Amino acid sequence: MGILAAGALTNEFPVLDREGLVYLDSGATSQKPRAVIDAIEDYYAHHNANIHRGVYPLAVEATELFEGARERAAAWLGSTAKETIFTKNATEAINLVAYAWGRRNVGRGDAIVLTQAEHHSNIVPWQLLCQEVGAQLRYLEVGPDGRISLQQLDELLADGRVRLVAAFHVSNVLGTVNPVAELVARARAAGAATLVDGSQAVPQLPVDVGALGADFYVWTAHKAYGPTGLGVLHGRRELLEEMPPFLGGGDMISSVDFHESRWNELPWKFEAGTSPIAEAVGLGAAVEFLQGLGMDTVRAHERELTAYALEHLGALDGVSIFGPSEAEDRGALVSFAVDGVHLHDVAEIVARQGVCIRAGHHCAQPLMRALGVSATSRASFAIHNTTEDVDRLIEALGEVRRIFG
């Protein structure tokens, strides 16, 4: 049934009112609780104005809502408002670091370390940087259990050429929870900066970016029960102060002359143009929603669901599961393959039963090559899911086996 009583939160998510729907694709995007939808509607209906500029009441209210959301998100994850940058998404946050920090700190002959299990968003920006400046990419291998080797990390760091280690917190394919605190500590000891992609971790785990100590930590609102169109970058203040702007325009300046400009202070130096105000308001409501539940409760509930899914999927003939064998070592997802059945057929057939799962390479093609597969099916869980939802998936997979013999 789960730590959260079966169906206790279903009514909080309007989309789940649809008859027969079982949503198991929160790793791609989360559904939105009423509190988030209501907060966005309330902003547009009663407080809509541009921020940071006007002194009339609507503008002041909008600014307070926007900056209040920043302060709430920062405090929730152990950061500060000055070190919390709003971006378009986690992808833009990583690109911001690659351009504004990378092009000043990575040069010819230097190296950047990634893992084989990174999302494309945490690979392509570094490929572009390395191609431009003549640096090298190095990869931490992912073992059969979905884990990286800290010993291999030490070996890659040993020659002193590594300027950055960029790694996931929770894998969007394998579910693996990386030992990021230890990874960060080893990188720092070797003189390398660190970036952690927390897109899958923030909605699922208690996260304290201050305690983790990473130089940069990124995540995205839409996977954490907030709206699309908003990402978050937490950066070490001294590094952010040294970095040039990523985008130029309004609001990121303190003054503009005909031939030169002066930049605004943090965090606004990196937030050019009209901000995603309604999206930030929605994120603030999502953070408040999760705080009300408690992240320890969220983690316990989803860990129990994952353990249940691992047990019951593992009992099916012809089903292979990827990643760590224990739920304690995973985020709230399970990637799998059905022997002899194309994954798109699997996804389509279970969808006929109202069960929504993801099929594909999950924006992790290098990992797929390392695993020796072209793609996987993935079921990812959220706070509104129950063991009954997993049972519906198991029943739907039974229909897959029936059709394909």
Side-chain angles (χ1 to χ4, degrees):
M1 183 174 292
I3 300 296
L4 299 170
L9 290 175
T10 301
N11 290 337
E12 297 290 337
F13 296 85
V15 75
L16 299 181
D17 290 342
R18 182 177 297 196
E19 183 69 26
L21 177 68
V22 174
Y23 188 75
L24 300 179
D25 197 22
S26 293
T29 196
S30 61
Q31 296 300 339
K32 316 309 173 194
R34 293 182 187 276
V36 170
I37 297 169
D38 290 346
I40 294 172
E41 181 182 10
D42 178 71
Y43 163 75
Y44 277 127
H46 302 293
H47 312 287
N48 182 46
N50 215 327
I51 59 172
H52 298 154
R53 299 176 178 90
V55 295
Y56 52 87
L58 280 180
V60 172
E61 292 165 14
T63 299
E64 289 176 347
L65 286 169
F66 181 80
E67 293 299 342
R70 188 198 310 275
E71 291 170 3
R72 183 176 292 118
W76 181 48
L77 296 184
S79 185
T80 68
K82 292 280 188 187
E83 297 171 302
T84 299
I85 314 297
F86 283 151
T87 62
K88 184 171 61 179
N89 43 43
T91 300
E92 184 177 274
I94 295 171
N95 275 274
L96 188 162
V97 176
Y99 278 85
W101 179 88
R103 281 155 178 77
R104 285 200 166 190
N105 292 278
V106 181
R108 184 169 298 279
D110 290 338
I112 294 173
V113 172
L114 309 176
T115 82
Q116 290 180 330
E118 296 309 312
H119 190 281
H120 294 165
S121 297
N122 205 22
I123 296 177
V124 178
W126 309 118
Q127 289 177 339
L128 293 172
L129 173 62
C130 288
Q131 290 164 8
E132 180 179 327
V133 304
Q136 175 192 51
L137 282 179
R138 300 174 178 178
Y139 282 90
L140 284 166
E141 297 175 0
V142 174
D145 61 353
R147 300 174 186 272
I148 62 168
S149 165
L150 291 174
Q151 179 180 344
Q152 187 194 13
L153 173 62
D154 290 339
E155 293 168 356
L156 294 177
L157 292 168
D159 64 4
R161 292 171 54 195
V162 176
R163 294 291 172 263
L164 176 78
V165 178
F168 65 87
H169 195 160
V170 173
S171 168
N172 73 310
V173 177
L174 303 173
T176 312
V177 180
N178 248 345
V180 289
E182 182 65 21
L183 182 148
V184 166
R186 294 183 184 220
R188 176 168 293 122
T194 49
L195 180 145
V196 176
D197 179 359
S199 298
Q200 297 290 334
V202 168
Q204 303 179 27
L205 310 175
V207 174
D208 186 332
V209 298
L212 289 176
D215 295 294
F216 305 102
Y217 192 100
V218 309
W219 55 287
T220 188
H222 77 95
K223 296 183 192 295
Y225 305 99
T228 57
L230 185 68
V232 184
L233 165 65
H234 302 287
R236 191 181 297 277
R237 183 167 182 172
E238 54 267 32
L239 297 181
L240 294 173
E241 293 282 10
E242 295 171 356
M243 289 159 53
F246 175 47
L247 298 172
D251 219 28
M252 50 74 66
I253 49 83
S254 62
S255 66
V256 177
D257 208 333
F258 286 105
H259 297 290
E260 64 178 5
S261 301
R262 297 180 183 275
W263 315 134
N264 206 342
E265 61 185 45
L266 292 175
W268 307 292
K269 180 174 76 171
F270 295 105
E271 296 179 357
T274 300
S275 297
I277 306 166
E279 288 81 358
V281 171
L283 174 61
V287 169
E288 189 172 5
F289 176 75
L290 285 169
Q291 285 178 313
L293 293 173
M295 291 309 296
D296 287 330
T297 299
V298 170
R299 172 59 173 160
H301 175 76
E302 294 178 356
R303 183 174 54 220
E304 183 175 306
L305 282 177
T306 304
Y308 186 85
L310 287 170
E311 176 187 355
H312 288 77
L313 281 169
L316 297 177
D317 290 336
V319 173
S320 302
I321 296 174
F322 301 93
S325 58
E326 299 296 328
E328 183 64 35
D329 302 320
R330 282 179 170 265
L333 63 88
V334 180
S335 286
F336 61 94
V338 180
D339 294 349
V341 185
H342 195 280
L343 72 154
H344 289 147
D345 291 326
V346 173
E348 181 183 356
I349 292 168
V350 301
R352 295 175 194 169
Q353 315 302 312
V355 179
C356 306
I357 64 172
R358 179 56 59 94
H361 54 65
H362 313 298
C363 294
Q365 288 177 306
L367 175 61
M368 296 298 153
R369 294 188 182 96
L371 295 174
V373 299
S374 61
T376 70
S377 300
R378 184 187 70 187
S380 50
F381 312 114
I383 53 175
H384 51 73
N385 289 124
T386 65
T387 53
E388 286 80 4
D389 293 337
V390 178
D391 291 340
R392 287 276 302 278
L393 172 62
I394 300 300
E395 292 169 7
L397 290 174
E399 180 68 5
V400 172
R401 300 305 299 170
R402 185 191 68 79
I403 291 173
F404 286 90

